[in-house]
PDB file of all heavy atoms in Angstrom:
ATOM      1  N   ALA X  17       2.855  17.899 -15.136  1.00  0.00           N
ATOM      2  CA  ALA X  17       4.030  18.675 -15.542  1.00  0.00           C
ATOM      3  C   ALA X  17       4.283  18.541 -17.038  1.00  0.00           C
ATOM      4  O   ALA X  17       4.583  19.533 -17.716  1.00  0.00           O
ATOM      5  CB  ALA X  17       5.255  18.225 -14.759  1.00  0.00           C
ATOM      6  N   THR X  18       4.124  17.346 -17.560  1.00  0.00           N
ATOM      7  CA  THR X  18       4.351  17.114 -18.990  1.00  0.00           C
ATOM      8  C   THR X  18       3.325  17.848 -19.839  1.00  0.00           C
ATOM      9  O   THR X  18       3.678  18.557 -20.795  1.00  0.00           O
ATOM     10  CB  THR X  18       4.307  15.608 -19.296  1.00  0.00           C
ATOM     11  OG1 THR X  18       5.293  14.958 -18.505  1.00  0.00           O
ATOM     12  CG2 THR X  18       4.559  15.340 -20.764  1.00  0.00           C
ATOM     13  N   LEU X  19       2.063  17.698 -19.500  1.00  0.00           N
ATOM     14  CA  LEU X  19       1.014  18.352 -20.286  1.00  0.00           C
ATOM     15  C   LEU X  19       1.055  19.868 -20.127  1.00  0.00           C
ATOM     16  O   LEU X  19       0.846  20.609 -21.090  1.00  0.00           O
ATOM     17  CB  LEU X  19      -0.362  17.810 -19.891  1.00  0.00           C
ATOM     18  CG  LEU X  19      -0.617  16.358 -20.270  1.00  0.00           C
ATOM     19  CD1 LEU X  19      -1.959  15.894 -19.713  1.00  0.00           C
ATOM     20  CD2 LEU X  19      -0.575  16.170 -21.768  1.00  0.00           C
ATOM     21  N   GLY X  20       1.340  20.331 -18.929  1.00  0.00           N
ATOM     22  CA  GLY X  20       1.446  21.765 -18.704  1.00  0.00           C
ATOM     23  C   GLY X  20       2.593  22.380 -19.482  1.00  0.00           C
ATOM     24  O   GLY X  20       2.455  23.450 -20.089  1.00  0.00           O
ATOM     25  N   THR X  21       3.728  21.703 -19.497  1.00  0.00           N
ATOM     26  CA  THR X  21       4.879  22.201 -20.250  1.00  0.00           C
ATOM     27  C   THR X  21       4.583  22.216 -21.743  1.00  0.00           C
ATOM     28  O   THR X  21       4.954  23.161 -22.444  1.00  0.00           O
ATOM     29  CB  THR X  21       6.121  21.330 -19.957  1.00  0.00           C
ATOM     30  OG1 THR X  21       6.369  21.359 -18.553  1.00  0.00           O
ATOM     31  CG2 THR X  21       7.328  21.828 -20.701  1.00  0.00           C
ATOM     32  N   ALA X  22       3.894  21.212 -22.227  1.00  0.00           N
ATOM     33  CA  ALA X  22       3.526  21.180 -23.646  1.00  0.00           C
ATOM     34  C   ALA X  22       2.610  22.357 -23.998  1.00  0.00           C
ATOM     35  O   ALA X  22       2.728  22.938 -25.080  1.00  0.00           O
ATOM     36  CB  ALA X  22       2.843  19.855 -23.976  1.00  0.00           C
ATOM     37  N   LYS X  23       1.724  22.711 -23.095  1.00  0.00           N
ATOM     38  CA  LYS X  23       0.836  23.860 -23.343  1.00  0.00           C
ATOM     39  C   LYS X  23       1.614  25.170 -23.298  1.00  0.00           C
ATOM     40  O   LYS X  23       1.382  26.053 -24.123  1.00  0.00           O
ATOM     41  CB  LYS X  23      -0.297  23.887 -22.322  1.00  0.00           C
ATOM     42  CG  LYS X  23      -1.335  22.833 -22.578  1.00  0.00           C
ATOM     43  CD  LYS X  23      -2.413  22.841 -21.523  1.00  0.00           C
ATOM     44  CE  LYS X  23      -3.391  21.718 -21.826  1.00  0.00           C
ATOM     45  NZ  LYS X  23      -3.995  21.169 -20.657  1.00  0.00           N
ATOM     46  N   ILE X  24       2.527  25.305 -22.356  1.00  0.00           N
ATOM     47  CA  ILE X  24       3.309  26.535 -22.255  1.00  0.00           C
ATOM     48  C   ILE X  24       4.178  26.721 -23.497  1.00  0.00           C
ATOM     49  O   ILE X  24       4.285  27.829 -24.032  1.00  0.00           O
ATOM     50  CB  ILE X  24       4.187  26.508 -20.981  1.00  0.00           C
ATOM     51  CG1 ILE X  24       3.302  26.610 -19.745  1.00  0.00           C
ATOM     52  CG2 ILE X  24       5.202  27.640 -21.003  1.00  0.00           C
ATOM     53  CD1 ILE X  24       4.026  26.347 -18.438  1.00  0.00           C
ATOM     54  N   LEU X  25       4.778  25.630 -23.984  1.00  0.00           N
ATOM     55  CA  LEU X  25       5.636  25.705 -25.160  1.00  0.00           C
ATOM     56  C   LEU X  25       4.838  25.727 -26.464  1.00  0.00           C
ATOM     57  O   LEU X  25       5.419  25.910 -27.528  1.00  0.00           O
ATOM     58  CB  LEU X  25       6.607  24.516 -25.174  1.00  0.00           C
ATOM     59  CG  LEU X  25       7.608  24.472 -24.024  1.00  0.00           C
ATOM     60  CD1 LEU X  25       8.434  23.195 -24.102  1.00  0.00           C
ATOM     61  CD2 LEU X  25       8.495  25.697 -24.033  1.00  0.00           C
ATOM     62  N   ALA X  26       3.533  25.542 -26.371  1.00  0.00           N
ATOM     63  CA  ALA X  26       2.629  25.551 -27.527  1.00  0.00           C
ATOM     64  C   ALA X  26       3.080  24.562 -28.592  1.00  0.00           C
ATOM     65  O   ALA X  26       3.234  24.909 -29.764  1.00  0.00           O
ATOM     66  CB  ALA X  26       2.488  26.963 -28.097  1.00  0.00           C
ATOM     67  N   LEU X  27       3.301  23.333 -28.182  1.00  0.00           N
ATOM     68  CA  LEU X  27       3.670  22.293 -29.131  1.00  0.00           C
ATOM     69  C   LEU X  27       2.515  22.017 -30.076  1.00  0.00           C
ATOM     70  O   LEU X  27       1.367  22.360 -29.789  1.00  0.00           O
ATOM     71  CB  LEU X  27       4.083  21.028 -28.374  1.00  0.00           C
ATOM     72  CG  LEU X  27       5.286  21.189 -27.443  1.00  0.00           C
ATOM     73  CD1 LEU X  27       5.581  19.878 -26.732  1.00  0.00           C
ATOM     74  CD2 LEU X  27       6.510  21.673 -28.190  1.00  0.00           C
ATOM     75  N   GLY X  28       2.804  21.393 -31.198  1.00  0.00           N
ATOM     76  CA  GLY X  28       1.834  21.212 -32.281  1.00  0.00           C
ATOM     77  C   GLY X  28       0.463  20.715 -31.854  1.00  0.00           C
ATOM     78  O   GLY X  28      -0.560  21.311 -32.185  1.00  0.00           O
ATOM     79  N   LYS X  29       0.424  19.617 -31.127  1.00  0.00           N
ATOM     80  CA  LYS X  29      -0.870  19.037 -30.727  1.00  0.00           C
ATOM     81  C   LYS X  29      -1.621  19.980 -29.787  1.00  0.00           C
ATOM     82  O   LYS X  29      -2.850  20.072 -29.853  1.00  0.00           O
ATOM     83  CB  LYS X  29      -0.630  17.681 -30.055  1.00  0.00           C
ATOM     84  CG  LYS X  29      -1.873  16.944 -29.702  1.00  0.00           C
ATOM     85  CD  LYS X  29      -2.663  16.532 -30.923  1.00  0.00           C
ATOM     86  CE  LYS X  29      -3.855  15.706 -30.526  1.00  0.00           C
ATOM     87  NZ  LYS X  29      -4.706  15.388 -31.649  1.00  0.00           N
ATOM     88  N   MET X  30      -0.900  20.692 -28.937  1.00  0.00           N
ATOM     89  CA  MET X  30      -1.560  21.606 -28.006  1.00  0.00           C
ATOM     90  C   MET X  30      -2.162  22.800 -28.749  1.00  0.00           C
ATOM     91  O   MET X  30      -3.193  23.323 -28.348  1.00  0.00           O
ATOM     92  CB  MET X  30      -0.587  22.078 -26.933  1.00  0.00           C
ATOM     93  CG  MET X  30      -0.210  20.995 -25.969  1.00  0.00           C
ATOM     94  SD  MET X  30      -1.662  20.298 -25.149  1.00  0.00           S
ATOM     95  CE  MET X  30      -1.079  18.703 -24.712  1.00  0.00           C
ATOM     96  N   ARG X  31      -1.523  23.224 -29.822  1.00  0.00           N
ATOM     97  CA  ARG X  31      -2.105  24.298 -30.643  1.00  0.00           C
ATOM     98  C   ARG X  31      -3.449  23.852 -31.222  1.00  0.00           C
ATOM     99  O   ARG X  31      -4.420  24.594 -31.217  1.00  0.00           O
ATOM    100  CB  ARG X  31      -1.158  24.682 -31.770  1.00  0.00           C
ATOM    101  CG  ARG X  31       0.051  25.443 -31.326  1.00  0.00           C
ATOM    102  CD  ARG X  31       0.936  25.759 -32.528  1.00  0.00           C
ATOM    103  NE  ARG X  31       2.143  26.423 -32.119  1.00  0.00           N
ATOM    104  CZ  ARG X  31       2.272  27.743 -32.064  1.00  0.00           C
ATOM    105  NH1 ARG X  31       1.279  28.514 -32.411  1.00  0.00           N
ATOM    106  NH2 ARG X  31       3.409  28.271 -31.671  1.00  0.00           N
ATOM    107  N   VAL X  41      -3.805  30.359 -28.485  1.00  0.00           N
ATOM    108  CA  VAL X  41      -2.602  29.744 -27.929  1.00  0.00           C
ATOM    109  C   VAL X  41      -2.132  30.543 -26.716  1.00  0.00           C
ATOM    110  O   VAL X  41      -1.716  29.985 -25.703  1.00  0.00           O
ATOM    111  CB  VAL X  41      -1.499  29.653 -29.008  1.00  0.00           C
ATOM    112  CG1 VAL X  41      -0.195  29.155 -28.412  1.00  0.00           C
ATOM    113  CG2 VAL X  41      -1.945  28.738 -30.129  1.00  0.00           C
ATOM    114  N   THR X  42      -2.243  31.857 -26.803  1.00  0.00           N
ATOM    115  CA  THR X  42      -1.859  32.710 -25.681  1.00  0.00           C
ATOM    116  C   THR X  42      -2.750  32.454 -24.469  1.00  0.00           C
ATOM    117  O   THR X  42      -2.281  32.493 -23.331  1.00  0.00           O
ATOM    118  CB  THR X  42      -1.953  34.189 -26.094  1.00  0.00           C
ATOM    119  OG1 THR X  42      -1.180  34.380 -27.281  1.00  0.00           O
ATOM    120  CG2 THR X  42      -1.429  35.099 -25.013  1.00  0.00           C
ATOM    121  N   PHE X  44      -4.120  29.633 -23.773  1.00  0.00           N
ATOM    122  CA  PHE X  44      -3.895  28.260 -23.312  1.00  0.00           C
ATOM    123  C   PHE X  44      -2.680  28.167 -22.402  1.00  0.00           C
ATOM    124  O   PHE X  44      -2.582  27.273 -21.584  1.00  0.00           O
ATOM    125  CB  PHE X  44      -3.715  27.361 -24.535  1.00  0.00           C
ATOM    126  CG  PHE X  44      -4.361  26.006 -24.430  1.00  0.00           C
ATOM    127  CD1 PHE X  44      -5.645  25.854 -23.946  1.00  0.00           C
ATOM    128  CD2 PHE X  44      -3.695  24.873 -24.845  1.00  0.00           C
ATOM    129  CE1 PHE X  44      -6.251  24.615 -23.870  1.00  0.00           C
ATOM    130  CE2 PHE X  44      -4.282  23.621 -24.778  1.00  0.00           C
ATOM    131  CZ  PHE X  44      -5.561  23.499 -24.291  1.00  0.00           C
ATOM    132  N   ARG X  45      -1.738  29.106 -22.534  1.00  0.00           N
ATOM    133  CA  ARG X  45      -0.505  29.067 -21.748  1.00  0.00           C
ATOM    134  C   ARG X  45      -0.740  29.213 -20.244  1.00  0.00           C
ATOM    135  O   ARG X  45      -0.110  28.499 -19.462  1.00  0.00           O
ATOM    136  CB  ARG X  45       0.473  30.107 -22.264  1.00  0.00           C
ATOM    137  CG  ARG X  45       1.093  29.668 -23.567  1.00  0.00           C
ATOM    138  CD  ARG X  45       2.184  30.567 -24.030  1.00  0.00           C
ATOM    139  NE  ARG X  45       2.853  29.931 -25.150  1.00  0.00           N
ATOM    140  CZ  ARG X  45       3.235  30.564 -26.230  1.00  0.00           C
ATOM    141  NH1 ARG X  45       3.044  31.868 -26.342  1.00  0.00           N
ATOM    142  NH2 ARG X  45       3.840  29.915 -27.204  1.00  0.00           N
ATOM    143  N   PRO X  46      -1.615  30.106 -19.782  1.00  0.00           N
ATOM    144  CA  PRO X  46      -1.853  30.166 -18.325  1.00  0.00           C
ATOM    145  C   PRO X  46      -2.428  28.862 -17.759  1.00  0.00           C
ATOM    146  O   PRO X  46      -2.141  28.504 -16.614  1.00  0.00           O
ATOM    147  CB  PRO X  46      -2.847  31.313 -18.159  1.00  0.00           C
ATOM    148  CG  PRO X  46      -2.665  32.153 -19.364  1.00  0.00           C
ATOM    149  CD  PRO X  46      -2.288  31.205 -20.464  1.00  0.00           C
ATOM    150  N   GLY X  48      -1.613  25.922 -18.844  1.00  0.00           N
ATOM    151  CA  GLY X  48      -0.419  25.089 -18.701  1.00  0.00           C
ATOM    152  C   GLY X  48       0.388  25.470 -17.481  1.00  0.00           C
ATOM    153  O   GLY X  48       0.915  24.606 -16.773  1.00  0.00           O
ATOM    154  N   ALA X  49       0.486  26.771 -17.212  1.00  0.00           N
ATOM    155  CA  ALA X  49       1.237  27.225 -16.032  1.00  0.00           C
ATOM    156  C   ALA X  49       0.568  26.739 -14.749  1.00  0.00           C
ATOM    157  O   ALA X  49       1.258  26.347 -13.789  1.00  0.00           O
ATOM    158  CB  ALA X  49       1.339  28.747 -16.033  1.00  0.00           C
ATOM    159  N   VAL X  52       1.455  23.058 -14.298  1.00  0.00           N
ATOM    160  CA  VAL X  52       2.816  22.887 -13.785  1.00  0.00           C
ATOM    161  C   VAL X  52       2.862  23.254 -12.304  1.00  0.00           C
ATOM    162  O   VAL X  52       3.494  22.555 -11.496  1.00  0.00           O
ATOM    163  CB  VAL X  52       3.826  23.712 -14.605  1.00  0.00           C
ATOM    164  CG1 VAL X  52       5.197  23.707 -13.946  1.00  0.00           C
ATOM    165  CG2 VAL X  52       3.924  23.163 -16.030  1.00  0.00           C
TER     166      VAL X  52
END
Side-chain angles (χ1 to χ4, degrees):
T18 302
L19 292 175
T21 302
K23 286 178 182 149
I24 291 170
L25 296 176
L27 299 179
K29 185 65 176 175
M30 290 302 155
R31 288 179 183 268
V41 174
T42 306
F44 219 45
R45 285 187 170 138
V52 171

